[in-house]
Amino acid sequence: MSAGLASAELESIEVDLLLEGVARQWGFDLRSHARPLLLRRLRRHLREERLDSFSELQARVLHDAEALEGLLRTLSCTPVSLFSDPAFFRDFRARVVPVLRTWPSVRVWHAGCGTGEDTYALAILLQEEGLWGRCRLYASDSSEGLLADARTGVLPLPGEDDARRYVEAGGKGALTDYYTRDGNWALIQPRLRDGIFFTQHNLATDGSFNEFHVIVCRDTLLTFNRTLHNRVHGRLFESLARFGFLCLGRKESLSRTPHAAAYEELEGSGRIFRRLA
Amino acid sequence: MSSIGILVVGAPRASAADVEALLTLLPRELATPVVLALHRGPHDSLAAPLGRRCALPVVEPDDKDDLTPGRVYLAPAGYHLLVDKGCVALSVEPPEHGQRPCLDALFESTADSYGPRAAGLLFAGHEDGAAGLALLQARGGRVAVVGEDWEGGGGQDGHMEQLSLDTVGAWLGRLAYVPRARGMP
């Protein structure tokens, strides 16, 4: 066996031991995450922590809750700007909002909200469309650390690119209407921030916690392997009201999931599905 | 001798025309999937034009799609394309070398999941991809660089084969030789 193959084998053993340790000590089971993504993020974490091996990381993470939180943060991967995918928000406005207008109240769940940028973008959109008073917006993530950031409503100050994406997303006012500037930071308007319920929820292990009319879960399930991915889609299905909307990432599909037949993709919507059965 | 299970190709934007030429060389009976990462802009729709002159279907896969022999999988704009054993894994991690899709991500994940059963081809001209290709070589994959301006970087695992557009066809032929169907005229 060449040296390269031998070291690959050893690394693989160390990663398995790390994941098993994290699962047994902390109850976070990362073993059903997509292996190539997991390896990349773990390696990046190792570099950032200036550690030489996964064994060292394991020793640290098993004894130190803060080290675990640091690891979970690295593994979570969410957009760090408002309206990160303008096409999605434009389609949401065009295709979903008109239906929501006809409903007396709307429960929305943003699953995998990370530090909240997309959640706030969604809140801004709902406010502009006159739906904010009728909507209850729940946002969840498995990392308490990321949620703590999200709850503050403080974001890096949006720049020109953000303003441009806001316009592309169909924005009706000016992005600056929705935050107050504090140095290099932006504080989201409290009326938006205080209307969002941030709550810890682990898609991999926790059950359904309500019935929703809209579920936004974009690019979050990329992290999971196929088995877990399909299981989570089962949970999303259980959590979605009939005729409710499921919003996925641009390159995520329902085609191999157990409930694919229950949904209809809105034509030309870039992955917005409606539950019909 | 063809124990190759996957062919991965990485190319910077400047090599787009050369990539198109490469695609025309792929035999219709190719027994492996081809996975292609090409630096690209945010909105480009590339699969259709690249597929026009290719005997194999060129697709931009969704996350967790199966890798089927005889198809070319092009990394979609805005995502890193990684390969798992037999399927695609897309990722929205931050760009690397200023690029998403980036080439290193593809080569690195191929080294992990296919190792010596992989063949990798990198079009020279950008720093992205060199580290990943060296890793793939270290893990026993068969690798080569296309282009003149390659400044070595072959690493401790020695010589990295260098090809021109004229010789890449022969390299592919050695790699994934498929006997022609019998009974041809």
Side-chain angles (χ1 to χ4, degrees):
Chain A
M1 196 188 278
S2 81
L5 280 175
S7 72
E9 185 68 18
L10 193 57
E11 186 196 59
S12 184
I13 292 170
E14 290 191 86
V15 168
D16 288 342
L17 292 173
L18 167 69
L19 299 184
E20 165 150 10
V22 168
R24 286 174 57 181
Q25 168 71 356
W26 301 107
F28 274 95
D29 195 346
L30 305 170
R31 288 170 294 192
S32 28
H33 280 224
R35 186 83 175 185
L37 267 74
L38 191 62
L39 280 175
R40 279 179 69 71
R41 293 181 191 180
L42 286 174
R43 284 179 188 138
R44 182 186 318 136
H45 190 65
L46 214 55
R47 284 196 299 275
E48 284 169 358
E49 297 291 309
R50 295 165 193 272
L51 297 171
D52 289 324
S53 73
F54 289 114
S55 300
E56 283 180 42
L57 179 62
Q58 178 193 329
R60 195 180 283 191
V61 163
L62 288 188
H63 294 280
D64 181 355
E66 272 183 39
L68 174 80
E69 187 52 46
L71 177 66
L72 292 180
R73 237 170 212 275
T74 311
L75 295 179
S76 166
C77 193
T78 54
V80 288
S81 55
L82 289 164
F83 296 98
S84 56
D85 183 358
F88 162 69
F89 290 100
R90 205 180 49 230
D91 293 333
F92 189 91
R93 255 183 231 272
R95 309 297 302 274
V96 179
V97 161
V99 179
L100 301 188
R101 283 220 180 86
T102 66
W103 293 346
S105 73
V106 183
R107 280 187 303 276
V108 183
W109 177 21
H110 182 195
C113 66
T115 48
E117 280 80 356
D118 265 356
T119 315
Y120 287 117
L122 194 59
I124 290 170
L125 184 152
L126 293 168
Q127 160 87 21
E128 288 190 343
E129 300 295 337
L131 289 165
W132 190 235
R134 262 187 274 167
C135 282
R136 286 175 82 81
L137 177 52
Y138 298 79
S140 70
D141 201 276
S142 62
S143 159
E144 187 53 55
L146 293 179
L147 281 175
D149 282 1
R151 275 192 202 102
T152 62
V154 177
L155 312 171
L157 191 68
E160 279 176 26
D161 283 349
D162 298 274
R164 180 181 47 77
R165 280 195 298 269
Y166 165 75
V167 173
E168 277 177 43
K172 294 183 169 172
L175 191 52
T176 48
D177 296 344
Y178 299 99
Y179 60 82
T180 45
R181 180 174 175 170
D182 182 3
N184 286 324
W185 299 92
L187 175 62
I188 291 283
Q189 291 287 339
R191 76 192 139 98
L192 289 178
R193 184 194 62 198
D194 298 342
I196 302 172
F197 302 84
F198 287 101
T199 174
Q200 190 178 23
H201 180 273
N202 187 345
L203 281 168
T205 51
D206 298 341
S208 171
F209 65 99
N210 208 329
E211 189 183 64
F212 297 94
H213 306 100
V214 178
I215 298 177
V216 178
C217 185
R218 306 188 68 250
D219 291 336
T220 299
L221 305 187
L222 297 180
T223 319
F224 300 155
N225 71 13
R226 263 191 204 181
T227 312
L228 179 55
H229 171 261
N230 289 353
R231 191 151 24 105
V232 171
H233 266 296
R235 295 224 173 89
L236 295 180
F237 175 80
E238 290 162 19
S239 308
L240 189 63
R242 199 162 170 226
F243 301 120
F245 296 93
L246 174 62
C247 308
L248 300 180
R250 187 164 51 85
K251 296 305 285 181
E252 290 181 299
S253 112
L254 280 170
S255 60
R256 283 170 308 273
T257 66
H259 299 286
Y263 293 95
E264 176 189 72
E265 184 173 355
L266 301 189
E267 205 179 318
S269 68
R271 299 303 155 96
I272 301 175
F273 298 85
R274 191 154 196 204
R275 180 179 163 180
L276 296 179
Chain B
M1 104 116 174
S2 178
S3 60
I4 293 298
I6 192 168
L7 169 63
V8 290
V9 181
R13 192 187 268 264
S15 304
D18 293 346
V19 168
E20 210 180 334
L22 171 79
L23 291 179
T24 64
L25 297 173
L26 296 174
R28 192 181 291 278
E29 316 82 1
L30 193 68
T32 70
V34 180
V35 184
L36 168 62
L38 177 64
H39 289 166
R40 55 190 295 186
H43 303 299
D44 294 354
S45 168
L46 260 184
L50 281 178
R52 240 172 259 147
R53 289 169 58 207
C54 181
L56 308 173
V58 179
V59 296
E60 291 186 28
D62 285 338
D63 182 49
K64 301 189 202 332
D65 276 357
D66 285 320
L67 289 168
T68 316
R71 304 187 119 212
V72 179
Y73 296 87
L74 173 68
Y79 291 86
H80 295 301
L81 194 167
L82 298 90
V83 297
D84 208 341
K85 293 182 184 74
C87 77
V88 167
L90 297 178
S91 147
V92 286
E93 289 166 286
E96 285 182 29
H97 305 285
Q99 302 292 335
R100 192 172 65 194
C102 91
L103 316 184
D104 274 334
L106 173 60
F107 287 131
E108 186 191 306
S109 63
T110 306
D112 285 325
S113 56
Y114 284 84
R117 295 193 58 238
L121 205 53
L122 172 66
F123 285 79
H126 198 283
E127 58 176 1
D128 182 20
L133 195 70
L135 180 68
L136 182 54
Q137 185 181 37
R139 299 273 175 88
R142 274 173 256 180
V143 302
V145 177
V146 187
E148 308 302 321
D149 50 347
W150 180 250
E151 293 169 3
Q156 67 268 43
D157 291 274
H159 175 73
M160 197 169 280
E161 197 173 348
Q162 243 177 292
L163 306 169
S164 68
L165 259 186
D166 297 331
T167 54
V168 73
W171 186 84
L172 284 173
R174 284 207 306 280
L175 193 77
Y177 173 71
V178 183
R180 282 187 183 277
R182 264 170 285 173
M184 296 222 338

